[in-house]
């Protein structure tokens, strides 16, 4: 084997090992991920969306941040093999801020038609109005307020477990295949 070929092969093996080691480090970091409410309060909107994406990944949802102009009420989208697609609308507020019903209407109106979601969730580091929570409960828009966010981010509870998200429906499974 010519020396150049052997060197290229060794470099490729080294690169593969480095990539695998990096993935193991990233997976270990995400598995241990805990974020306090004080940390959420201190970050900006974009970092809030990235943190929610990381928490979904920790919980087994391959997820990506999609928020920004024209996001159609979706800041993070995750896809789970059994549970289906989740669309998260992130509402980062100042401490004590409230999220109203209009956010719930927007998420409900776009989660299914625009994003093919099985689950729609509004997450805030603040609070939701009583009307927003009641409307979400009636119309299958899940919500995570400050207390639920603490359980998810600080305590490490899996989002889909404490929201009791059902598995994707059979009709959705057929359409996704």
């Amino acid at each position: 084997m010519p020396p150049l070929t052997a060197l290229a092969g060794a470099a490729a093996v080294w690169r593969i090992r480095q990539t695998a080691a990096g993935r193991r480090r990233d997976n270990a970091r995400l598995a241990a991920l805990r974020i306090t409410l004080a940390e959420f309060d201190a970050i900006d909107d974009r970092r809030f969306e990235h943190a929610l994406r990381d928490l979904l990944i920790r919980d087994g949802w391959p997820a990506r941040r999609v928020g920004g102009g024209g996001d159609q009420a979706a800041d993070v989208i995750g896809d789970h093999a059994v549970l289906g697609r989740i669309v998260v609308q992130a509402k980062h507020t100042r401490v004590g801020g409230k999220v109203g019903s209009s956010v719930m209407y927007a998420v409900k109106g776009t989660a299914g038609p625009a994003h093919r979601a099985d689950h729609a969730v509004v997450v805030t580091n603040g609070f939701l109005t009583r009307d927003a929570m009641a409307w979400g409960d009636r119309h299958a828009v899940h919500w995570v307020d400050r207390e639920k966010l603490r359980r998810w981010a600080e305590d490490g509870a899996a989002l889909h477990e404490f929201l009791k998200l059902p598995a994707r429906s059979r009709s959705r499974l057929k359409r996704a295949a």
Side-chain angles (χ1 to χ4, degrees):
M1 178 181 297
L4 201 50
T5 305
L7 184 59
V13 168
W14 178 82
R15 219 172 312 137
I16 290 168
R17 286 185 180 159
Q18 289 300 104
T19 301
R23 280 195 194 112
R24 282 192 300 275
R25 280 191 305 274
D26 290 346
N27 289 340
R29 179 186 60 80
L30 284 172
L33 181 63
R34 300 290 186 271
I35 305 170
T36 67
L37 289 175
E39 290 170 320
F40 276 122
D41 293 340
I43 62 178
D44 63 19
D45 297 354
R46 186 179 181 101
R47 290 185 58 210
F48 183 63
E49 293 167 3
H50 280 106
L52 298 180
R53 177 209 55 205
D54 290 348
L55 288 168
L56 280 174
I57 292 170
R58 178 199 71 188
D59 292 350
W61 296 77
R64 65 194 185 284
R65 180 193 167 274
V66 295
D71 63 19
Q72 298 184 46
D75 293 312
V76 179
I77 296 177
D79 290 291
H80 191 281
V82 174
L83 299 170
R85 176 169 282 183
I86 190 169
V87 168
V88 175
Q89 173 64 37
K91 287 297 175 190
H92 187 261
T93 69
R94 66 186 191 297
V95 177
K98 286 198 172 190
V99 175
S101 299
S102 63
V103 173
M104 301 301 232
Y105 309 153
V107 171
K108 180 65 175 182
T110 61
H115 304 292
R116 298 180 333 272
D118 298 289
H119 312 286
V121 184
V122 174
V123 179
T124 182
N125 64 315
F127 302 94
L128 289 101
T129 64
R130 270 192 301 250
D131 288 342
M133 291 184 286
W135 196 93
D137 291 344
R138 277 193 313 274
H139 298 283
V141 177
H142 301 277
W143 49 270
V144 175
D145 62 359
R146 192 167 180 82
E147 179 53 30
K148 288 181 181 179
L149 182 60
R150 185 194 58 73
R151 286 178 48 208
W152 183 26
E154 285 186 36
D155 297 349
L159 180 68
H160 56 275
E161 290 175 1
F162 75 80
L163 289 181
K164 296 179 175 63
L165 298 180
R168 168 188 331 206
S169 70
R170 290 191 187 277
S171 61
R172 282 264 196 212
L173 283 170
K174 288 177 188 171
R175 275 185 266 155

